[in-house]
Amino acid sequence: MATFPIKRLRRLRYNPVVRDMVRETQLNKEDLIYPLFVVPGEKIKKEIASMPGVYQMSIDVLVEECKELEQLGLPAVILFGIPEHKDEKGSDAYNPEGIIQRAVRAIKKEVKNLLVITDICLCEYTSHGHCGLLDGEKILNDETVELLAREALTHVQAGADMVAPSDMMDGRVAAIRKILDENGFVEIPIMSYAVKYASGFYGPFRDAAESAPAFGDRRSHQMDVANALEALREAETDIEEGADIIMVKPAGAYLDIIWRVKEKFGMPTAAYQVSGEYSMIKAAGKNGWLDEQRVMLESLIAIKRAGADMILTYFAKDIARLLK
């Protein structure tokens, strides 16, 4: 094998055109999924204090936002709903006239070329902020799974193109696949939050979705941040139950997990660059501590390089504008 001075690796770095030609990882707007938060009311666009540039929007404003996203060439959105009323059972999650169900119908009526994905969980809808039904302070797995399946069905009946269960209950992918198939929705894919860690990076999201737990935490069902082999077991289980896409969340601190999941299973793999990752970059950029645009791109390229086929990110709109 050649060595210096015959081998000069910098030859491919001097010229910017050559640098682009030999670039190994490409970030495209087609890789991105944009999270959106929908609230009751009209003409509402309320910025989330801990997530500058991200908003809670009423359905009418949300539809106009989706029209703009379509024009920018973004392929997909994922919707999170904040209902007008919450209760212990999260009833609005599986109400056919719930906030997400109405939002999906409105978007699909007005926007033709945007894939609409819906988050399947109860935490935004329960008065206690936990991801399922409670017995005291214990989250009931099987009873929660039944409601999650009902929620997914109502979303798809409203027109959702894909559902994404994020709750981390055991067996929920199989239950959702079963109820969709039984109701004639065999073509609807499931993007499972297969590997979702009990992370400290979710704080700003809980402001946006108004879903902070009233007591305790979510470590009884979300993964221990120290575990990697368990991630492979979780992903394998969801694949066996019928998941079409598997997701790792968060992304930036778990690049090794993205890599291992992709290498092990070769499945379409998503990664969620979560609210805390977004907010840290925004805050540091605002304070002049780093170049926000450069770090935004670098962070997303790293996620793609680790093996993610698609990335859920609050930077999606910024990237689409930049690439356009």
Side-chain angles (χ1 to χ4, degrees):
M1 183 176 291
T3 59
F4 179 84
I6 296 171
K7 179 189 285 186
R8 292 180 181 267
L9 297 177
R10 290 181 60 198
R11 289 191 189 108
L12 300 181
R13 300 176 194 156
Y14 283 113
N15 188 308
V17 176
V18 175
R19 285 201 300 270
D20 287 344
M21 291 175 68
V22 300
R23 171 168 280 191
E24 298 173 19
T25 304
Q26 300 290 338
L27 179 67
N28 303 301
K29 59 187 176 184
E30 290 80 11
D31 304 326
L32 307 178
I33 299 169
Y34 192 35
L36 294 169
F37 299 93
V38 57
V39 295
E42 294 181 356
K43 299 180 180 179
I44 295 173
K45 187 176 182 179
K46 179 184 177 184
E47 188 171 34
I48 299 152
S50 57
M51 299 178 69
V54 179
Y55 300 85
Q56 293 179 335
M57 290 176 274
S58 54
I59 292 174
D60 53 334
V61 177
L62 184 78
V63 169
E64 295 305 310
E65 179 78 1
C66 287
K67 289 179 181 178
E68 181 182 353
L69 299 176
E70 182 183 43
Q71 292 173 355
L72 286 170
L74 282 171
V77 296
I78 183 166
L79 302 183
F80 299 90
I82 299 94
E84 189 169 0
H85 301 291
K86 302 187 179 192
D87 58 37
E88 291 188 354
K89 296 183 178 180
S91 301
D92 204 63
Y94 42 91
N95 177 0
E97 294 302 319
I99 184 71
I100 287 294
Q101 291 83 346
R102 289 184 285 119
V104 170
R105 286 195 291 268
I107 294 169
K108 298 304 289 185
K109 182 179 178 181
E110 299 290 336
V111 187
K112 303 305 179 186
N113 297 311
L114 193 67
L115 190 80
V116 177
I117 308 167
T118 58
D119 178 79
I120 305 298
C121 196
L122 298 184
C123 62
E124 297 110 298
Y125 306 93
T126 54
S127 53
H128 46 72
H130 281 286
C131 300
L133 298 180
L134 297 181
D135 180 7
E137 294 190 0
K138 177 183 177 182
I139 298 176
L140 302 174
N141 189 93
D142 296 7
E143 294 84 347
T144 296
V145 166
E146 181 181 345
L147 297 185
L148 294 169
R150 286 172 58 187
E151 179 183 6
L153 179 60
T154 62
H155 287 188
V156 173
Q157 288 172 331
D161 300 298
M162 184 186 298
V163 292
S166 64
D167 54 284
M168 290 296 286
M169 297 296 126
D170 290 334
R172 88 275 204 218
V173 173
I176 291 171
R177 185 73 274 158
K178 182 174 185 290
I179 199 170
L180 293 183
D181 290 356
E182 288 176 347
N183 284 273
F185 296 109
V186 296
E187 77 285 358
I188 297 295
I190 298 172
M191 178 171 67
S192 170
Y193 290 65
V195 183
K196 182 178 180 180
Y197 285 90
S199 171
F201 285 97
Y202 301 148
F205 174 91
R206 291 171 183 172
D207 294 338
E210 300 178 11
S211 62
F215 60 87
D217 55 39
R218 293 175 179 156
R219 299 186 191 191
S220 72
H221 49 289
Q222 294 177 0
M223 278 189 51
D224 188 325
V225 300
N227 292 356
L229 294 176
E230 183 185 5
L232 300 180
R233 296 196 294 272
E234 284 283 4
E236 184 174 37
T237 298
D238 283 7
I239 293 166
E240 290 172 345
E241 290 184 7
D244 303 282
I245 302 168
I246 50 178
M247 187 196 301
V248 176
K249 178 183 180 183
Y254 299 89
L255 297 177
D256 61 317
I257 305 300
I258 298 169
W259 173 259
R260 293 178 74 160
V261 166
K262 184 66 175 181
E263 286 293 293
K264 173 75 173 178
F265 302 109
M267 286 285 290
T269 302
Y272 200 144
Q273 186 183 50
V274 299
S275 59
E277 299 174 74
Y278 170 85
S279 295
M280 287 193 301
I281 294 172
K282 294 293 286 188
K286 182 179 179 181
N287 282 286
W289 297 336
L290 50 73
D291 182 329
E292 180 184 321
Q293 180 175 296
R294 184 174 178 181
V295 173
M296 169 185 71
L297 286 167
E298 186 175 341
S299 66
L300 293 168
I301 289 170
I303 297 166
K304 188 84 185 291
R305 191 181 64 240
D309 300 292
M310 60 205 79
I311 305 171
L312 292 75
T313 176
Y314 302 97
F315 286 120
K317 194 173 178 181
D318 295 333
I319 293 291
R321 287 172 174 156
L322 184 64
L323 296 179
K324 191 172 183 178

